[in-house]
Amino acid sequence: KGKRAFIAGVADDNGYGWAIAKSLAAAGAEILVGTWVPALNIFESSLRRGKFDGSRILPDGSMMEITKVYPLDAVFDNPDEVPEDIKTNKRYAGSSKWTVQEVAESVKEDFGSIDILVHSLANGPEVTKPLLETSRNGYLAAISASSYSYVSLLKHFLPILNPGGSSISLTYIASERIIPGYGGGMSSAKAALESDTRVLAFEAGRKRKIRVNTISAGPLRSRAAKAIGFIDMMIDYSLANAPLQKELSAEEVGNAAAFLASPLASAITGTVLYVDNGLNAMGVGV
Ligand code: NAI
C-alpha cells in the first residue's frame, strides 16, 4: 500500500521541502504539505496558476500531486498560545487551524494516519548577526522556530504516525563546526535539533516504533538561504573544497530522505546523515 507523507516547510519549488516531496511522490507516496501561514496565499495561487508545473514533473513523466496544503505556523502549539497581534494580523486572519496541534488534528480527521513526517523549516530573525551580538529574544526565536518546532510536530503527529514510520528533519554543519555568518543562534538551534534527533529516536522508537533521523545538507540556493546572505560563498567554498566537486542539487537531498523513509533504512534511527558532497569530512580547505 502507498505511504502518506506530511512535509512541513514547503512554500515554493526551490527548497529542500519541495525536493523531498518530489522524491517521496516519485516513490509512490501521497503528499500533504504544511505551509507557513504568511506564505500560504502566494504558494496556493502559484500552484493553481501552474507556476510550479515545470518543477512538478517526476522522473516517469507524471506530475507530482499535492493532495492537500495545510496552513501552519510551527512556533505555536495550540490556539491558547497565539498572541492577539498575530490573531488579528491580516496575513493570518484569512486562515484557521494553523497551530501544530490543530494541523495534526485536521490531518487525522482528513486522512486518519500518516507514515512519514518531514520537518523542513527554520527561521532565525537575527541570523545575520554574530552570536555575540544576538539578543535573548532573537536566540530564543531561532530555537523556537527551528528546534522546538520539530519536537512539537513529532509530539503531535506521533499518535497518527503508523508504527514502522519515519520522521526526518534538515540540519546544517554549523551545529558542530564554526561557520561564520550563520548567526543569531541558528548554529545553536541546529545543535539542539541534532541532539533532539537522538533523544526523540529513543522515545518515538520505544513508544511507536518510529525512526527519527536528520539530514545534514550542503548549501542550496533556497529562499531561506538567500535571506542569510552568504549562500553563494558557501556553494563556491564547497565546489572548491568538497571531495565531490559538483553543485549539490535539492533532488540529491530529496532522494536521501526517500531512502531514510523507506524500508531500506529500517535499522537506521537517531542518525545525522550528511548529504553534502562529502564536505563535512574535510579537515582543511584545499
Ligand atoms: P526554504 O525557504 O525552502 O524552507 C524554509 C521554510 O520554512 C519556508 O517554506 C518557510 O515558509 C518555512 N517557515 C519559516 N518559519 C516557519 C514557521 N514558523 N512555521 C512554518 N513554516 C515556517 O529553505 P530551505 O533552505 O530549503 O530550508 C529547509 C530546511 O533545510 C531548513 O531546516 C534549513 O535550515 C535546512 N538547510 C538548508 C540549507 C541550505 O543551504 N539551504 C543547508 C542545510 C540545511
Side-chain angles (χ1 to χ4, degrees), residues 9-12 14-17 35-36 39 72-75 120-123 145 170-172 182 186 190 217-225 231:
V10 179
D12 59 40
N14 291 318
Y16 283 134
T35 301
W36 196 29
L72 169 70
D73 194 323
V75 306
S120 181
L121 64 96
N123 203 3
L170 275 297
T171 187
Y172 184 48
Y182 197 74
M186 279 305 300
K190 291 305 193 190
L220 173 76
R221 235 179 247 98
S222 64
R223 189 187 166 102
I231 188 66

PDB file of all heavy atoms in Angstrom, residues 9-12 14-17 35-36 39 72-75 120-123 145 170-172 182 186 190 217-225 231, ligand 1:
ATOM      1  N   GLY A   9       6.974  22.859   5.813  1.00  0.00           N
ATOM      2  CA  GLY A   9       8.010  23.783   5.342  1.00  0.00           C
ATOM      3  C   GLY A   9       8.176  23.811   3.834  1.00  0.00           C
ATOM      4  O   GLY A   9       9.293  23.820   3.317  1.00  0.00           O
ATOM      5  N   VAL A  10       7.031  23.823   3.142  1.00  0.00           N
ATOM      6  CA  VAL A  10       7.072  23.968   1.672  1.00  0.00           C
ATOM      7  C   VAL A  10       6.290  25.234   1.322  1.00  0.00           C
ATOM      8  O   VAL A  10       5.113  25.340   1.651  1.00  0.00           O
ATOM      9  CB  VAL A  10       6.429  22.761   0.961  1.00  0.00           C
ATOM     10  CG1 VAL A  10       6.466  22.949  -0.556  1.00  0.00           C
ATOM     11  CG2 VAL A  10       7.112  21.457   1.357  1.00  0.00           C
ATOM     12  N   ALA A  11       6.966  26.202   0.681  1.00  0.00           N
ATOM     13  CA  ALA A  11       6.249  27.415   0.284  1.00  0.00           C
ATOM     14  C   ALA A  11       6.629  27.863  -1.124  1.00  0.00           C
ATOM     15  O   ALA A  11       6.167  28.894  -1.617  1.00  0.00           O
ATOM     16  CB  ALA A  11       6.502  28.541   1.288  1.00  0.00           C
ATOM     17  N   ASP A  12       7.524  27.106  -1.765  1.00  0.00           N
ATOM     18  CA  ASP A  12       7.849  27.359  -3.173  1.00  0.00           C
ATOM     19  C   ASP A  12       8.518  26.101  -3.718  1.00  0.00           C
ATOM     20  O   ASP A  12       8.566  25.082  -3.022  1.00  0.00           O
ATOM     21  CB  ASP A  12       8.749  28.609  -3.336  1.00  0.00           C
ATOM     22  CG  ASP A  12      10.067  28.479  -2.586  1.00  0.00           C
ATOM     23  OD1 ASP A  12      10.668  27.379  -2.591  1.00  0.00           O
ATOM     24  OD2 ASP A  12      10.526  29.475  -1.985  1.00  0.00           O
ATOM     25  N   ASN A  14      11.717  25.818  -4.654  1.00  0.00           N
ATOM     26  CA  ASN A  14      13.190  25.930  -4.619  1.00  0.00           C
ATOM     27  C   ASN A  14      13.853  25.198  -3.469  1.00  0.00           C
ATOM     28  O   ASN A  14      15.051  24.952  -3.511  1.00  0.00           O
ATOM     29  CB  ASN A  14      13.599  27.404  -4.470  1.00  0.00           C
ATOM     30  CG  ASN A  14      13.279  28.195  -5.713  1.00  0.00           C
ATOM     31  OD1 ASN A  14      13.498  27.706  -6.814  1.00  0.00           O
ATOM     32  ND2 ASN A  14      12.750  29.392  -5.540  1.00  0.00           N
ATOM     33  N   GLY A  15      13.114  24.930  -2.400  1.00  0.00           N
ATOM     34  CA  GLY A  15      13.755  24.463  -1.179  1.00  0.00           C
ATOM     35  C   GLY A  15      13.859  22.954  -1.078  1.00  0.00           C
ATOM     36  O   GLY A  15      13.450  22.206  -1.979  1.00  0.00           O
ATOM     37  N   TYR A  16      14.420  22.521   0.039  1.00  0.00           N
ATOM     38  CA  TYR A  16      14.558  21.081   0.275  1.00  0.00           C
ATOM     39  C   TYR A  16      13.200  20.400   0.476  1.00  0.00           C
ATOM     40  O   TYR A  16      13.025  19.240   0.095  1.00  0.00           O
ATOM     41  CB  TYR A  16      15.473  20.840   1.479  1.00  0.00           C
ATOM     42  CG  TYR A  16      16.936  21.019   1.147  1.00  0.00           C
ATOM     43  CD1 TYR A  16      17.786  21.747   1.966  1.00  0.00           C
ATOM     44  CD2 TYR A  16      17.469  20.440  -0.002  1.00  0.00           C
ATOM     45  CE1 TYR A  16      19.135  21.907   1.649  1.00  0.00           C
ATOM     46  CE2 TYR A  16      18.812  20.592  -0.330  1.00  0.00           C
ATOM     47  CZ  TYR A  16      19.633  21.335   0.508  1.00  0.00           C
ATOM     48  OH  TYR A  16      20.958  21.488   0.183  1.00  0.00           O
ATOM     49  N   GLY A  17      12.244  21.103   1.087  1.00  0.00           N
ATOM     50  CA  GLY A  17      10.929  20.500   1.326  1.00  0.00           C
ATOM     51  C   GLY A  17      10.260  20.060   0.027  1.00  0.00           C
ATOM     52  O   GLY A  17       9.738  18.949  -0.082  1.00  0.00           O
ATOM     53  N   THR A  35       2.303  24.659   5.038  1.00  0.00           N
ATOM     54  CA  THR A  35       2.901  25.889   4.507  1.00  0.00           C
ATOM     55  C   THR A  35       2.728  27.022   5.505  1.00  0.00           C
ATOM     56  O   THR A  35       1.636  27.218   6.052  1.00  0.00           O
ATOM     57  CB  THR A  35       2.237  26.256   3.161  1.00  0.00           C
ATOM     58  OG1 THR A  35       2.426  25.169   2.252  1.00  0.00           O
ATOM     59  CG2 THR A  35       2.834  27.522   2.564  1.00  0.00           C
ATOM     60  N   TRP A  36       3.817  27.745   5.745  1.00  0.00           N
ATOM     61  CA  TRP A  36       3.802  28.859   6.685  1.00  0.00           C
ATOM     62  C   TRP A  36       2.685  29.833   6.325  1.00  0.00           C
ATOM     63  O   TRP A  36       2.581  30.232   5.160  1.00  0.00           O
ATOM     64  CB  TRP A  36       5.165  29.563   6.673  1.00  0.00           C
ATOM     65  CG  TRP A  36       5.403  30.470   7.831  1.00  0.00           C
ATOM     66  CD1 TRP A  36       4.879  30.357   9.077  1.00  0.00           C
ATOM     67  CD2 TRP A  36       6.250  31.627   7.832  1.00  0.00           C
ATOM     68  NE1 TRP A  36       5.343  31.375   9.883  1.00  0.00           N
ATOM     69  CE2 TRP A  36       6.180  32.168   9.143  1.00  0.00           C
ATOM     70  CE3 TRP A  36       7.047  32.246   6.876  1.00  0.00           C
ATOM     71  CZ2 TRP A  36       6.890  33.308   9.505  1.00  0.00           C
ATOM     72  CZ3 TRP A  36       7.763  33.379   7.239  1.00  0.00           C
ATOM     73  CH2 TRP A  36       7.690  33.904   8.545  1.00  0.00           C
ATOM     74  N   ALA A  39       2.962  32.736   3.946  1.00  0.00           N
ATOM     75  CA  ALA A  39       3.370  32.396   2.581  1.00  0.00           C
ATOM     76  C   ALA A  39       2.289  31.602   1.848  1.00  0.00           C
ATOM     77  O   ALA A  39       2.433  31.275   0.670  1.00  0.00           O
ATOM     78  CB  ALA A  39       4.673  31.589   2.612  1.00  0.00           C
ATOM     79  N   LEU A  72       0.190  26.423   8.326  1.00  0.00           N
ATOM     80  CA  LEU A  72       0.907  26.003   9.534  1.00  0.00           C
ATOM     81  C   LEU A  72       1.790  27.133  10.040  1.00  0.00           C
ATOM     82  O   LEU A  72       2.475  27.784   9.249  1.00  0.00           O
ATOM     83  CB  LEU A  72       1.782  24.775   9.201  1.00  0.00           C
ATOM     84  CG  LEU A  72       2.813  24.346  10.253  1.00  0.00           C
ATOM     85  CD1 LEU A  72       2.134  23.751  11.484  1.00  0.00           C
ATOM     86  CD2 LEU A  72       3.806  23.324   9.669  1.00  0.00           C
ATOM     87  N   ASP A  73       1.758  27.388  11.322  1.00  0.00           N
ATOM     88  CA  ASP A  73       2.827  28.167  11.948  1.00  0.00           C
ATOM     89  C   ASP A  73       3.362  27.349  13.103  1.00  0.00           C
ATOM     90  O   ASP A  73       2.714  27.217  14.143  1.00  0.00           O
ATOM     91  CB  ASP A  73       2.371  29.548  12.416  1.00  0.00           C
ATOM     92  CG  ASP A  73       3.590  30.417  12.731  1.00  0.00           C
ATOM     93  OD1 ASP A  73       4.582  29.863  13.254  1.00  0.00           O
ATOM     94  OD2 ASP A  73       3.583  31.621  12.436  1.00  0.00           O
ATOM     95  N   ALA A  74       4.549  26.803  12.893  1.00  0.00           N
ATOM     96  CA  ALA A  74       5.121  25.820  13.816  1.00  0.00           C
ATOM     97  C   ALA A  74       5.698  26.444  15.079  1.00  0.00           C
ATOM     98  O   ALA A  74       6.263  25.739  15.906  1.00  0.00           O
ATOM     99  CB  ALA A  74       6.174  24.984  13.099  1.00  0.00           C
ATOM    100  N   VAL A  75       5.581  27.755  15.262  1.00  0.00           N
ATOM    101  CA  VAL A  75       6.009  28.324  16.542  1.00  0.00           C
ATOM    102  C   VAL A  75       4.852  28.392  17.542  1.00  0.00           C
ATOM    103  O   VAL A  75       5.044  28.827  18.683  1.00  0.00           O
ATOM    104  CB  VAL A  75       6.710  29.702  16.430  1.00  0.00           C
ATOM    105  CG1 VAL A  75       7.869  29.647  15.465  1.00  0.00           C
ATOM    106  CG2 VAL A  75       5.765  30.813  16.081  1.00  0.00           C
ATOM    107  N   SER A 120      11.011  20.535   7.390  1.00  0.00           N
ATOM    108  CA  SER A 120      11.968  21.226   6.525  1.00  0.00           C
ATOM    109  C   SER A 120      11.783  22.725   6.695  1.00  0.00           C
ATOM    110  O   SER A 120      11.516  23.441   5.725  1.00  0.00           O
ATOM    111  CB  SER A 120      11.755  20.792   5.065  1.00  0.00           C
ATOM    112  OG  SER A 120      12.702  21.436   4.231  1.00  0.00           O
ATOM    113  N   LEU A 121      11.909  23.179   7.926  1.00  0.00           N
ATOM    114  CA  LEU A 121      11.697  24.606   8.173  1.00  0.00           C
ATOM    115  C   LEU A 121      12.654  25.109   9.240  1.00  0.00           C
ATOM    116  O   LEU A 121      13.112  24.362  10.105  1.00  0.00           O
ATOM    117  CB  LEU A 121      10.249  24.865   8.571  1.00  0.00           C
ATOM    118  CG  LEU A 121       9.724  24.267   9.868  1.00  0.00           C
ATOM    119  CD1 LEU A 121       9.809  25.279  11.009  1.00  0.00           C
ATOM    120  CD2 LEU A 121       8.287  23.812   9.689  1.00  0.00           C
ATOM    121  N   ALA A 122      12.941  26.382   9.127  1.00  0.00           N
ATOM    122  CA  ALA A 122      13.830  27.040  10.074  1.00  0.00           C
ATOM    123  C   ALA A 122      13.574  28.529   9.970  1.00  0.00           C
ATOM    124  O   ALA A 122      13.134  29.015   8.926  1.00  0.00           O
ATOM    125  CB  ALA A 122      15.292  26.739   9.741  1.00  0.00           C
ATOM    126  N   ASN A 123      13.843  29.239  11.045  1.00  0.00           N
ATOM    127  CA  ASN A 123      13.728  30.692  11.000  1.00  0.00           C
ATOM    128  C   ASN A 123      14.535  31.276  12.146  1.00  0.00           C
ATOM    129  O   ASN A 123      14.443  30.801  13.275  1.00  0.00           O
ATOM    130  CB  ASN A 123      12.256  31.110  11.115  1.00  0.00           C
ATOM    131  CG  ASN A 123      12.010  32.494  10.528  1.00  0.00           C
ATOM    132  OD1 ASN A 123      12.924  33.117   9.983  1.00  0.00           O
ATOM    133  ND2 ASN A 123      10.792  32.982  10.644  1.00  0.00           N
ATOM    134  N   ALA A 145      11.531  28.393  16.468  1.00  0.00           N
ATOM    135  CA  ALA A 145      11.088  28.104  15.099  1.00  0.00           C
ATOM    136  C   ALA A 145      11.853  26.938  14.483  1.00  0.00           C
ATOM    137  O   ALA A 145      11.308  26.221  13.640  1.00  0.00           O
ATOM    138  CB  ALA A 145      11.248  29.354  14.227  1.00  0.00           C
ATOM    139  N   LEU A 170      15.921  18.551   8.699  1.00  0.00           N
ATOM    140  CA  LEU A 170      17.082  19.042   7.952  1.00  0.00           C
ATOM    141  C   LEU A 170      17.966  19.859   8.874  1.00  0.00           C
ATOM    142  O   LEU A 170      17.471  20.762   9.563  1.00  0.00           O
ATOM    143  CB  LEU A 170      16.618  19.961   6.811  1.00  0.00           C
ATOM    144  CG  LEU A 170      16.202  19.369   5.460  1.00  0.00           C
ATOM    145  CD1 LEU A 170      17.364  18.655   4.800  1.00  0.00           C
ATOM    146  CD2 LEU A 170      15.031  18.447   5.584  1.00  0.00           C
ATOM    147  N   THR A 171      19.262  19.538   8.871  1.00  0.00           N
ATOM    148  CA  THR A 171      20.161  20.309   9.719  1.00  0.00           C
ATOM    149  C   THR A 171      21.344  20.813   8.890  1.00  0.00           C
ATOM    150  O   THR A 171      21.395  20.604   7.664  1.00  0.00           O
ATOM    151  CB  THR A 171      20.617  19.468  10.937  1.00  0.00           C
ATOM    152  OG1 THR A 171      21.370  20.305  11.827  1.00  0.00           O
ATOM    153  CG2 THR A 171      21.471  18.278  10.518  1.00  0.00           C
ATOM    154  N   TYR A 172      22.262  21.500   9.555  1.00  0.00           N
ATOM    155  CA  TYR A 172      23.385  22.117   8.847  1.00  0.00           C
ATOM    156  C   TYR A 172      24.629  22.013   9.720  1.00  0.00           C
ATOM    157  O   TYR A 172      24.556  22.133  10.948  1.00  0.00           O
ATOM    158  CB  TYR A 172      23.045  23.580   8.536  1.00  0.00           C
ATOM    159  CG  TYR A 172      24.094  24.300   7.720  1.00  0.00           C
ATOM    160  CD1 TYR A 172      24.630  23.716   6.571  1.00  0.00           C
ATOM    161  CD2 TYR A 172      24.556  25.559   8.094  1.00  0.00           C
ATOM    162  CE1 TYR A 172      25.594  24.375   5.828  1.00  0.00           C
ATOM    163  CE2 TYR A 172      25.514  26.226   7.355  1.00  0.00           C
ATOM    164  CZ  TYR A 172      26.035  25.626   6.218  1.00  0.00           C
ATOM    165  OH  TYR A 172      26.993  26.268   5.485  1.00  0.00           O
ATOM    166  N   TYR A 182      26.530  32.243   9.956  1.00  0.00           N
ATOM    167  CA  TYR A 182      25.310  31.506  10.309  1.00  0.00           C
ATOM    168  C   TYR A 182      25.023  31.818  11.774  1.00  0.00           C
ATOM    169  O   TYR A 182      25.279  31.015  12.656  1.00  0.00           O
ATOM    170  CB  TYR A 182      25.523  30.017  10.075  1.00  0.00           C
ATOM    171  CG  TYR A 182      24.247  29.183  10.003  1.00  0.00           C
ATOM    172  CD1 TYR A 182      23.428  29.249   8.876  1.00  0.00           C
ATOM    173  CD2 TYR A 182      23.890  28.323  11.029  1.00  0.00           C
ATOM    174  CE1 TYR A 182      22.278  28.468   8.794  1.00  0.00           C
ATOM    175  CE2 TYR A 182      22.741  27.540  10.951  1.00  0.00           C
ATOM    176  CZ  TYR A 182      21.946  27.621   9.827  1.00  0.00           C
ATOM    177  OH  TYR A 182      20.815  26.848   9.746  1.00  0.00           O
ATOM    178  N   MET A 186      21.260  30.418  15.213  1.00  0.00           N
ATOM    179  CA  MET A 186      20.885  29.331  14.296  1.00  0.00           C
ATOM    180  C   MET A 186      21.823  28.132  14.428  1.00  0.00           C
ATOM    181  O   MET A 186      21.396  26.982  14.312  1.00  0.00           O
ATOM    182  CB  MET A 186      20.853  29.823  12.840  1.00  0.00           C
ATOM    183  CG  MET A 186      19.586  30.560  12.467  1.00  0.00           C
ATOM    184  SD  MET A 186      18.076  29.596  12.797  1.00  0.00           S
ATOM    185  CE  MET A 186      18.335  28.154  11.782  1.00  0.00           C
ATOM    186  N   LYS A 190      20.519  24.354  15.423  1.00  0.00           N
ATOM    187  CA  LYS A 190      20.804  23.110  14.700  1.00  0.00           C
ATOM    188  C   LYS A 190      21.474  22.085  15.632  1.00  0.00           C
ATOM    189  O   LYS A 190      21.242  20.883  15.504  1.00  0.00           O
ATOM    190  CB  LYS A 190      21.678  23.387  13.471  1.00  0.00           C
ATOM    191  CG  LYS A 190      20.960  24.168  12.364  1.00  0.00           C
ATOM    192  CD  LYS A 190      19.657  23.494  11.931  1.00  0.00           C
ATOM    193  CE  LYS A 190      19.107  24.069  10.630  1.00  0.00           C
ATOM    194  NZ  LYS A 190      17.733  23.574  10.342  1.00  0.00           N
ATOM    195  N   ALA A 217      22.478  18.779   5.397  1.00  0.00           N
ATOM    196  CA  ALA A 217      22.538  19.068   3.964  1.00  0.00           C
ATOM    197  C   ALA A 217      23.591  20.121   3.656  1.00  0.00           C
ATOM    198  O   ALA A 217      23.852  21.024   4.451  1.00  0.00           O
ATOM    199  CB  ALA A 217      21.166  19.549   3.488  1.00  0.00           C
ATOM    200  N   GLY A 218      24.175  20.010   2.475  1.00  0.00           N
ATOM    201  CA  GLY A 218      25.084  21.035   1.983  1.00  0.00           C
ATOM    202  C   GLY A 218      24.296  22.246   1.513  1.00  0.00           C
ATOM    203  O   GLY A 218      23.065  22.267   1.566  1.00  0.00           O
ATOM    204  N   PRO A 219      25.020  23.286   1.053  1.00  0.00           N
ATOM    205  CA  PRO A 219      24.367  24.548   0.713  1.00  0.00           C
ATOM    206  C   PRO A 219      23.491  24.475  -0.545  1.00  0.00           C
ATOM    207  O   PRO A 219      23.868  23.888  -1.553  1.00  0.00           O
ATOM    208  CB  PRO A 219      25.543  25.506   0.502  1.00  0.00           C
ATOM    209  CG  PRO A 219      26.708  24.631   0.171  1.00  0.00           C
ATOM    210  CD  PRO A 219      26.481  23.339   0.899  1.00  0.00           C
ATOM    211  N   LEU A 220      22.318  25.099  -0.458  1.00  0.00           N
ATOM    212  CA  LEU A 220      21.357  25.174  -1.568  1.00  0.00           C
ATOM    213  C   LEU A 220      20.802  26.592  -1.621  1.00  0.00           C
ATOM    214  O   LEU A 220      20.480  27.180  -0.587  1.00  0.00           O
ATOM    215  CB  LEU A 220      20.204  24.187  -1.319  1.00  0.00           C
ATOM    216  CG  LEU A 220      19.031  24.263  -2.299  1.00  0.00           C
ATOM    217  CD1 LEU A 220      19.421  23.601  -3.624  1.00  0.00           C
ATOM    218  CD2 LEU A 220      17.785  23.588  -1.732  1.00  0.00           C
ATOM    219  N   ARG A 221      20.647  27.121  -2.832  1.00  0.00           N
ATOM    220  CA  ARG A 221      20.139  28.493  -3.011  1.00  0.00           C
ATOM    221  C   ARG A 221      18.615  28.561  -2.813  1.00  0.00           C
ATOM    222  O   ARG A 221      17.880  28.879  -3.735  1.00  0.00           O
ATOM    223  CB  ARG A 221      20.509  28.989  -4.407  1.00  0.00           C
ATOM    224  CG  ARG A 221      21.278  30.285  -4.434  1.00  0.00           C
ATOM    225  CD  ARG A 221      21.641  30.699  -5.845  1.00  0.00           C
ATOM    226  NE  ARG A 221      23.078  30.645  -6.072  1.00  0.00           N
ATOM    227  CZ  ARG A 221      23.724  29.645  -6.663  1.00  0.00           C
ATOM    228  NH1 ARG A 221      23.076  28.600  -7.132  1.00  0.00           N
ATOM    229  NH2 ARG A 221      25.042  29.676  -6.811  1.00  0.00           N
ATOM    230  N   SER A 222      18.144  28.250  -1.634  1.00  0.00           N
ATOM    231  CA  SER A 222      16.705  28.327  -1.335  1.00  0.00           C
ATOM    232  C   SER A 222      16.359  29.755  -0.943  1.00  0.00           C
ATOM    233  O   SER A 222      17.238  30.593  -0.750  1.00  0.00           O
ATOM    234  CB  SER A 222      16.370  27.396  -0.171  1.00  0.00           C
ATOM    235  OG  SER A 222      17.037  27.864   0.990  1.00  0.00           O
ATOM    236  N   ARG A 223      15.059  29.991  -0.790  1.00  0.00           N
ATOM    237  CA  ARG A 223      14.622  31.306  -0.347  1.00  0.00           C
ATOM    238  C   ARG A 223      15.219  31.644   1.022  1.00  0.00           C
ATOM    239  O   ARG A 223      15.738  32.737   1.242  1.00  0.00           O
ATOM    240  CB  ARG A 223      13.098  31.299  -0.280  1.00  0.00           C
ATOM    241  CG  ARG A 223      12.504  32.643  -0.039  1.00  0.00           C
ATOM    242  CD  ARG A 223      11.006  32.509   0.175  1.00  0.00           C
ATOM    243  NE  ARG A 223      10.486  33.736   0.729  1.00  0.00           N
ATOM    244  CZ  ARG A 223       9.848  34.639   0.030  1.00  0.00           C
ATOM    245  NH1 ARG A 223       9.637  34.454  -1.259  1.00  0.00           N
ATOM    246  NH2 ARG A 223       9.425  35.751   0.590  1.00  0.00           N
ATOM    247  N   ALA A 224      15.150  30.669   1.950  1.00  0.00           N
ATOM    248  CA  ALA A 224      15.667  30.902   3.305  1.00  0.00           C
ATOM    249  C   ALA A 224      17.169  31.170   3.262  1.00  0.00           C
ATOM    250  O   ALA A 224      17.674  32.052   3.964  1.00  0.00           O
ATOM    251  CB  ALA A 224      15.358  29.702   4.195  1.00  0.00           C
ATOM    252  N   ALA A 225      17.883  30.405   2.445  1.00  0.00           N
ATOM    253  CA  ALA A 225      19.340  30.548   2.407  1.00  0.00           C
ATOM    254  C   ALA A 225      19.744  31.887   1.794  1.00  0.00           C
ATOM    255  O   ALA A 225      20.716  32.509   2.230  1.00  0.00           O
ATOM    256  CB  ALA A 225      19.957  29.394   1.631  1.00  0.00           C
ATOM    257  N   ILE A 231      25.062  32.537   0.849  1.00  0.00           N
ATOM    258  CA  ILE A 231      24.880  31.227   0.235  1.00  0.00           C
ATOM    259  C   ILE A 231      25.786  31.007  -0.991  1.00  0.00           C
ATOM    260  O   ILE A 231      26.334  29.918  -1.167  1.00  0.00           O
ATOM    261  CB  ILE A 231      23.379  30.959  -0.098  1.00  0.00           C
ATOM    262  CG1 ILE A 231      23.166  29.516  -0.545  1.00  0.00           C
ATOM    263  CG2 ILE A 231      22.817  31.941  -1.108  1.00  0.00           C
ATOM    264  CD1 ILE A 231      23.425  28.480   0.527  1.00  0.00           C
TER     265      ILE A 231
HETATM  266  P1  NAI B   1      13.002  27.104   2.353  1.00  0.00           P
HETATM  267  O1  NAI B   1      12.844  28.576   2.348  1.00  0.00           O
HETATM  268  O2  NAI B   1      12.571  26.345   1.157  1.00  0.00           O
HETATM  269  O3  NAI B   1      12.287  26.425   3.598  1.00  0.00           O
HETATM  270  C1  NAI B   1      12.101  27.013   4.837  1.00  0.00           C
HETATM  271  C2  NAI B   1      10.602  27.033   5.062  1.00  0.00           C
HETATM  272  O4  NAI B   1      10.302  27.301   6.422  1.00  0.00           O
HETATM  273  C3  NAI B   1       9.880  28.101   4.250  1.00  0.00           C
HETATM  274  O5  NAI B   1       8.890  27.474   3.439  1.00  0.00           O
HETATM  275  C4  NAI B   1       9.231  28.971   5.318  1.00  0.00           C
HETATM  276  O6  NAI B   1       7.980  29.476   4.894  1.00  0.00           O
HETATM  277  C5  NAI B   1       9.080  27.973   6.442  1.00  0.00           C
HETATM  278  N1  NAI B   1       8.875  28.531   7.772  1.00  0.00           N
HETATM  279  C6  NAI B   1       9.586  29.503   8.414  1.00  0.00           C
HETATM  280  N2  NAI B   1       9.073  29.731   9.629  1.00  0.00           N
HETATM  281  C7  NAI B   1       8.016  28.887   9.782  1.00  0.00           C
HETATM  282  C8  NAI B   1       7.071  28.660  10.823  1.00  0.00           C
HETATM  283  N3  NAI B   1       7.111  29.355  11.961  1.00  0.00           N
HETATM  284  N4  NAI B   1       6.113  27.721  10.634  1.00  0.00           N
HETATM  285  C9  NAI B   1       6.051  27.022   9.480  1.00  0.00           C
HETATM  286  N5  NAI B   1       6.915  27.197   8.463  1.00  0.00           N
HETATM  287  C10 NAI B   1       7.890  28.127   8.616  1.00  0.00           C
HETATM  288  O7  NAI B   1      14.555  26.877   2.670  1.00  0.00           O
HETATM  289  P2  NAI B   1      15.460  25.573   2.847  1.00  0.00           P
HETATM  290  O8  NAI B   1      16.849  26.100   2.816  1.00  0.00           O
HETATM  291  O9  NAI B   1      15.084  24.516   1.897  1.00  0.00           O
HETATM  292  O10 NAI B   1      15.156  25.109   4.331  1.00  0.00           O
HETATM  293  C11 NAI B   1      14.631  23.852   4.686  1.00  0.00           C
HETATM  294  C12 NAI B   1      15.474  23.239   5.790  1.00  0.00           C
HETATM  295  O11 NAI B   1      16.764  22.913   5.260  1.00  0.00           O
HETATM  296  C13 NAI B   1      15.724  24.171   6.981  1.00  0.00           C
HETATM  297  O12 NAI B   1      15.683  23.430   8.181  1.00  0.00           O
HETATM  298  C14 NAI B   1      17.148  24.639   6.724  1.00  0.00           C
HETATM  299  O13 NAI B   1      17.796  25.066   7.895  1.00  0.00           O
HETATM  300  C15 NAI B   1      17.747  23.362   6.163  1.00  0.00           C
HETATM  301  N6  NAI B   1      19.044  23.512   5.484  1.00  0.00           N
HETATM  302  C16 NAI B   1      19.183  24.367   4.430  1.00  0.00           C
HETATM  303  C17 NAI B   1      20.415  24.504   3.807  1.00  0.00           C
HETATM  304  C18 NAI B   1      20.582  25.427   2.641  1.00  0.00           C
HETATM  305  O14 NAI B   1      21.713  25.718   2.240  1.00  0.00           O
HETATM  306  N7  NAI B   1      19.519  25.913   2.027  1.00  0.00           N
HETATM  307  C19 NAI B   1      21.609  23.751   4.263  1.00  0.00           C
HETATM  308  C20 NAI B   1      21.333  22.834   5.348  1.00  0.00           C
HETATM  309  C21 NAI B   1      20.095  22.751   5.942  1.00  0.00           C
END
